[in-house]
Amino acid sequence: MHYNFRKKFDTRGQTLLEILIALGVGVAVLSGIVVLVFTSLSGAQFSKNQNLATQYGQEGMELVRKERDTKGWDTFFTSYPNGTYCLSKEGVFTKLTEASCLKNVGIFIRSVEFSWNGERATVTTTVSWTDSKGKHQSKLISYFTKWNI
């Protein structure tokens, strides 16, 4: 009986090649899944930050309304002349003397801009933050006019 060594060797080499190809395909599929998961988590984090920024902007606008209602129109008008103010976590307005506010609500920077035109104020709340994708911001604009109670 004749034993064929060559046939046995060819089968082993083919099996090794199949294992390497399967391993390569598995690594490619796993890499794709990891990229998909990280992209999804990054998008979820951005959405969370965007929602928080909008909430902090709305809260800032409510603080401006409270200032107007508490102080009355004339005092409100003289208290906040044209300009940008930092808005702290505690709701304190500080006239902006530098180019920007510091982080004042977690990772967020919250500011309020007053622009007066006669008996009307344009109020813009801006909440900005920076993440790995760059700088982002959420702006809300509201108009305040003199009214009598």
Side-chain angles (χ1 to χ4, degrees):
M1 187 171 241
H2 185 277
Y3 188 73
N4 187 348
F5 289 104
R6 188 173 191 169
K7 186 174 183 181
K8 189 173 184 182
F9 178 74
D10 288 343
T11 304
R12 281 191 206 162
Q14 189 175 16
T15 304
L16 182 61
L17 184 61
E18 289 171 350
I19 289 172
L20 288 175
I21 290 172
L23 186 61
V25 168
V27 167
V29 168
L30 190 58
S31 297
I33 291 171
V34 167
V35 167
L36 183 64
V37 166
F38 279 123
T39 301
S40 177
L41 289 174
S42 175
Q45 185 64 41
F46 175 78
S47 293
K48 178 183 173 186
N49 287 341
Q50 183 70 42
N51 287 336
L52 279 171
T54 301
Q55 179 183 343
Y56 289 140
Q58 290 170 340
E59 182 181 273
M61 202 61 76
E62 288 302 318
L63 287 169
V64 172
R65 279 188 186 87
K66 182 179 176 185
E67 285 286 301
R68 179 202 57 194
D69 295 345
T70 303
K71 291 182 175 185
W73 183 259
D74 294 331
T75 306
F76 176 66
F77 178 80
T78 57
S79 296
Y80 303 105
N82 285 338
T84 303
Y85 297 77
C86 288
L87 181 55
S88 72
K89 184 177 185 177
E90 295 78 25
V92 177
F93 294 90
T94 306
K95 180 74 171 161
L96 191 65
T97 55
E98 299 176 10
S100 64
C101 297
L102 300 174
K103 291 179 183 173
N104 49 23
V105 183
I107 64 168
F108 301 98
I109 300 169
R110 186 165 63 165
S111 64
V112 178
E113 180 183 356
F114 291 88
S115 177
W116 294 91
N117 184 5
E119 294 290 316
R120 183 176 107 168
T122 302
V123 178
T124 305
T125 61
T126 303
V127 180
S128 58
W129 75 99
T130 304
D131 62 15
S132 61
K133 293 183 179 179
K135 187 172 174 122
H136 310 283
Q137 67 179 2
S138 175
K139 281 190 174 193
L140 299 173
I141 299 172
S142 189
Y143 302 100
F144 290 79
T145 56
K146 185 175 182 177
W147 56 279
N148 296 325
I149 299 178

